[in-house]
Amino acid sequence: MARITKGILGGFSGKVGTVVGANWRGKDIIRSTPKPSSRPPSDKQLVQQTKFKLVISFLQPVKNIQTKYFGSGSGSKSRINLAVSYTINEAVQMVGDVAELLYNKVLITKGDLAGFQNVTAAPQAGNGISLNWEDNSEQGNADATDLANAVCYCEELGSFEIFESITERSVLTADLTLPAYYAGKEIQLWVFFNNAKETVACNSAYLGSLILV
């Protein structure tokens, strides 16, 4: 891999002959095209490929959130890389040849902001969810103006519903309403706070699975 610093062509992306140009973390680079391997993948490689495919597909809809709020993104790994690595290593199990997510271990966000205190979620008529929590706005780096967010995932539909900046930490309650086609469906629910400046978030909290009514 070589970094482009000068030249009449400047930075470029795509394949040119035997090299590929790309922009990586704001830097123009070139690298040789990978050579195809004739060796079949090992069992361990197949497992990792299966996990990777599942995690990439699952996390894609929350990519914009994790770009801002998953870890520090320092060093050679972006926040997205950190989110993928964490999920593969901590939140996926193999059942035979099938990779399955462990929803209770999934993190949508990962950060140093103070999280929710004693948060609860209950289904409400009309595909609604009622969230309630206790006031901890005076603890640590929490602030009354921190913004609550919720992420809902329905495995049956393979879809997310994301509710951003619902209300402030000090309000202590919030109501969500999902589209009509979620009626009777099971959803997985995570919530998190980010600060008003949108520079840091807490570790997301998993509130379990709910059946919408």
Side-chain angles (χ1 to χ4, degrees), residues 16-213:
V16 178
T18 59
V19 299
V20 176
N23 187 279
W24 180 77
R25 297 179 67 82
K27 299 177 181 179
D28 292 319
I29 60 171
I30 58 173
R31 57 184 172 81
S32 60
T33 54
K35 295 181 180 179
S37 174
S38 59
R39 298 172 60 183
S42 66
D43 290 343
K44 184 176 181 180
Q45 288 173 326
L46 287 173
V47 167
Q48 284 300 105
Q49 290 171 10
T50 300
K51 289 182 176 181
F52 183 80
K53 183 178 180 180
L54 171 66
V55 169
I56 289 297
S57 175
F58 174 71
L59 294 182
Q60 181 62 32
V62 294
K63 181 178 180 180
N64 289 342
I65 294 174
Q66 295 187 322
T67 297
K68 295 168 64 176
Y69 299 131
F70 202 99
S72 64
S74 60
S76 61
K77 286 192 173 183
S78 69
R79 288 182 171 90
I80 296 299
N81 293 149
L82 293 174
V84 170
S85 178
Y86 167 83
T87 308
I88 288 174
N89 293 323
E90 304 294 337
V92 178
Q93 67 177 1
M94 295 299 297
V95 179
D97 295 331
V98 179
E100 294 184 352
L101 288 160
L102 300 171
Y103 294 118
N104 64 318
K105 294 186 177 181
V106 167
L107 287 177
I108 302 299
T109 59
K110 189 173 186 290
D112 296 328
L113 187 65
F116 282 84
Q117 179 170 294
N118 295 329
V119 59
T120 61
Q124 302 293 316
N127 299 322
I129 300 172
S130 176
L131 300 174
N132 293 275
W133 60 91
E134 295 179 1
D135 187 12
N136 63 342
S137 57
E138 300 298 323
Q139 298 178 2
N141 62 352
D143 192 280
T145 62
D146 293 335
L147 297 170
N149 307 264
V151 174
C152 304
Y153 175 68
C154 178
E155 182 177 320
E156 180 182 343
L157 299 176
S159 63
F160 279 88
E161 293 296 323
I162 299 172
F163 301 85
E164 297 186 82
S165 302
I166 306 165
T167 191
E168 294 184 345
R169 186 191 293 262
S170 60
V171 176
L172 308 184
T173 185
D175 293 320
L176 315 176
T177 302
L178 282 77
Y181 54 83
Y182 282 91
K185 304 297 185 184
E186 179 182 16
I187 62 111
Q188 311 297 323
L189 176 62
W190 296 265
V191 292
F192 67 93
F193 282 123
N194 61 263
N195 64 352
K197 293 183 179 180
E198 299 186 351
T199 57
V200 66
C202 67
N203 285 0
S204 58
Y206 175 63
L207 303 188
S209 61
L210 299 173
I211 304 295
L212 297 182
V213 296

